[in-house]
Amino acid sequence: MTKQLQKRILIMALLAGELMMKSGAEIYRVEDTITRICKACKIPYVEAFATPTGIFLSLDKGGEDNEMFTFIKRIRGSATDLGKISEINQFSRDFVSTDLSVEDGMARLKQISKRKPYPLGIKLLGAALTCAFFCLMFKGTIQDFVCAFIIGAASYLLSAIFDGFETNYFIKGFCCTAFAAFLALICAASGLGNTSGPTTIGALMLFVPGVAITNAIRDFLAGDMLSGLARTSEAFFIAISLATGAGVVMRLWVLMGGTIL
Amino acid sequence: MTYLWQFIFGLVATVGFAILFHVPKRHIFVASLIGGMGWVVFAYCRSDYGGALLGCFLAACVVGFFAGICSRVFKETATVFTIPGIIPLVPGAGMYYTTLYLISGQLEQAATTGTETLLMAGSISVGLLVVSSFFKIHYTLAGKIKNKFRKKREKCDIMEE
């Protein structure tokens, strides 16, 4: 009986950890959540070790007859979803302070995992706003603003399509920025916009690895060197993919006789 | 006046990021206010005071500070406010100009801009680091002082009894 209970607790804690990690939480937060959930179920020995690609967890009730449980969870794919992080944080706080049963906790976690992010239309609007206002921030004109608004939505739509095919992140970043840079150059050349620079910067900002950078720092701060390094290299490779995407298109444009306005 | 416009631009851009990162609806406005403030500090430093590197550092400090306070006030994780607030500072423009110089063969310029871009990312992290360690020290100290008072009070209670 205790064995089964222990197993259920383990599965629930791992699910919570996995959801947080997939939503882009920091390592210490994931480990802390798992440890708190297990401690709340009166398990004295908990050891959690999380990296961006996997969670290792072992539990021991501490008695003579109790066996030790260990579980490894491989994590694939990640998308930033701050709403989920905040909800699971709230969940772990509730779980620790009130006596929620493991079954109820599991049900609530499953509910959180099913929660969808904002619908695609609103996300496209968000992308368009970001792109357009970054264009203004880098001294774009009103015409550029309009172009950037459309280009931002278009390139984000492309990235959403790539997400649907579960493409490699490098290819995704490369293609999306290449597409955006191409559109920006065309807009500038055809006279719809004045300059392509601010528009391209706006589109780059959409895909810039800001979350990876911030999390890398926080992981380093908390002493999780391994994850910090992993995330730094992630950020670095994403940045390279964006720069090459825009660079290749701009280079080809120049080679084919166009000028970069 | 220009900075008021910059603030508004930064604010709306952060709203966009907040939507993309699925910040809970009730926090989008506060998160974007923080993003706008960070951007204004950066924009002011970049053109009028000390340059882009210092700007990144100070802006990251501002974002970290307000995010820390808001996370206390709203009982929410600080990440919800830090990530949308910090992203406008991430040097996308630096990346663009580095690429531009690279493809037009101005290698020296590219090296200068590239290094500056990397340093800017670094100074964002240093800014966040400084503020978050400040918060940590503050909470540890506050906890210790509270404990001390509690112990003293308990002592007094015992003596009174």
Side-chain angles (χ1 to χ4, degrees):
Chain A
M1 193 55 213
T2 44
K3 251 189 198 173
Q4 277 181 0
L5 181 71
Q6 208 167 331
K7 193 174 165 188
R8 280 208 299 272
I9 295 168
L10 193 143
I11 289 172
M12 186 182 70
L14 269 178
L15 180 65
E18 188 196 351
L19 281 177
M20 287 188 100
M21 193 60 97
K22 272 191 176 167
S23 312
E26 309 94 312
I27 300 295
Y28 76 87
R29 200 186 294 283
V30 174
E31 287 177 352
D32 192 54
T33 308
I34 291 178
T35 315
R36 268 166 206 268
I37 288 178
C38 294
K39 286 256 161 84
C41 297
K42 299 198 178 58
I43 291 175
Y45 175 82
V46 185
E47 205 66 57
F49 175 69
T51 70
T53 47
I55 299 178
F56 307 73
L57 172 63
S58 65
L59 304 178
D60 191 1
K61 271 262 185 180
E64 290 259 312
D65 312 325
N66 293 120
E67 281 177 48
M68 200 180 237
F69 275 86
T70 306
F71 214 89
I72 299 176
K73 183 93 195 169
R74 180 81 165 86
I75 296 168
R76 282 172 211 281
S78 62
T80 313
D81 189 334
L82 297 175
K84 264 185 198 161
I85 296 181
S86 114
E87 264 175 49
I88 293 177
N89 218 43
Q90 190 63 42
F91 162 78
S92 83
R93 229 178 264 162
D94 290 353
F95 191 84
V96 172
S97 58
T98 61
D99 37 307
L100 211 63
S101 76
V102 179
E103 280 75 28
D104 290 347
M106 197 71 193
R108 207 171 136 187
L109 272 181
K110 282 201 172 135
Q111 212 180 351
I112 293 175
S113 80
K114 273 184 204 140
R115 180 134 330 156
K116 288 265 177 293
Y118 292 127
L120 185 65
I122 295 190
K123 277 197 163 187
L124 286 184
L125 179 71
L129 280 180
T130 308
C131 187
F133 278 87
F134 263 102
C135 179
L136 284 186
M137 278 144 93
F138 287 98
K139 303 187 178 71
T141 58
I142 292 296
Q143 288 155 309
D144 293 334
F145 174 82
V146 178
C147 292
F149 195 84
I150 296 161
I151 291 172
S155 55
Y156 193 79
L157 186 65
L158 186 69
S159 89
I161 292 170
F162 272 117
D163 278 340
F165 290 124
E166 290 175 4
T167 345
N168 181 318
Y169 70 92
F170 195 93
I171 300 292
K172 191 177 90 174
F174 182 89
C175 293
C176 291
T177 44
F179 180 62
F182 181 64
L183 286 184
L185 286 170
I186 283 189
C187 279
S190 67
L192 280 175
N194 285 333
T195 45
S196 65
T199 318
T200 317
I201 293 172
L204 275 178
M205 285 309 292
L206 282 178
F207 304 107
V208 138
V211 181
I213 292 177
T214 354
N215 273 340
I217 303 144
R218 296 193 140 214
D219 289 344
F220 273 128
L221 262 183
D224 298 309
M225 297 303 168
L226 193 64
S227 316
L229 277 180
R231 278 186 167 140
T232 314
S233 45
E234 186 194 353
F236 188 67
F237 277 107
I238 295 177
I240 286 184
S241 80
L242 303 187
T244 43
V248 163
V249 166
M250 276 152 44
R251 182 75 188 146
L252 281 177
W253 184 266
V254 173
L255 283 180
M256 275 152 63
T259 46
I260 295 174
L261 291 171
Chain B
M1 200 57 204
T2 30
Y3 289 118
L4 182 68
W5 280 113
Q6 290 289 337
F7 176 71
I8 292 169
F9 296 161
L11 193 143
V12 183
T14 318
V15 169
F17 280 124
I19 292 172
L20 292 185
F21 295 145
H22 196 220
V23 172
K25 266 182 214 135
R26 57 186 185 281
H27 295 314
I28 285 184
F29 182 66
V30 180
S32 52
L33 272 185
I34 293 174
M37 274 189 278
W39 177 257
V40 149
V41 172
F42 172 70
Y44 177 71
C45 290
R46 185 186 52 182
S47 43
D48 285 349
Y49 181 77
L53 277 181
L54 182 71
C56 267
F57 173 77
L58 290 180
C61 285
V62 167
V63 170
F65 180 71
F66 283 105
I69 287 178
C70 289
S71 78
R72 274 275 145 162
V73 171
F74 297 110
K75 293 206 165 39
E76 189 61 75
T77 55
T79 329
V80 170
F81 303 107
T82 341
I83 287 183
I86 219 78
I87 285 205
L89 305 175
V90 177
M95 268 167 63
Y96 172 77
Y97 288 118
T98 311
T99 329
L100 189 67
Y101 291 134
L102 269 181
I103 64 158
S104 57
Q106 295 163 280
L107 292 183
E108 224 167 89
Q109 291 263 31
T112 319
T113 331
T115 318
E116 207 197 27
T117 309
L118 272 182
L119 286 177
M120 271 166 82
S123 64
I124 295 175
S125 29
V126 177
L128 273 186
L129 191 150
V130 167
V131 174
S132 65
S133 28
F134 165 78
F135 268 107
K136 214 169 214 174
I137 292 171
H138 170 76
Y139 288 135
T140 332
L141 270 184
K144 267 190 185 162
I145 291 170
K146 234 182 212 171
N147 270 343
K148 229 176 206 176
F149 271 113
R150 197 181 297 147
K151 268 181 198 160
K152 250 186 196 170
R153 205 175 301 144
E154 274 165 12
K155 244 184 207 169
C156 292
D157 288 348
I158 293 168
M159 278 166 78
E160 273 168 21
E161 278 168 13

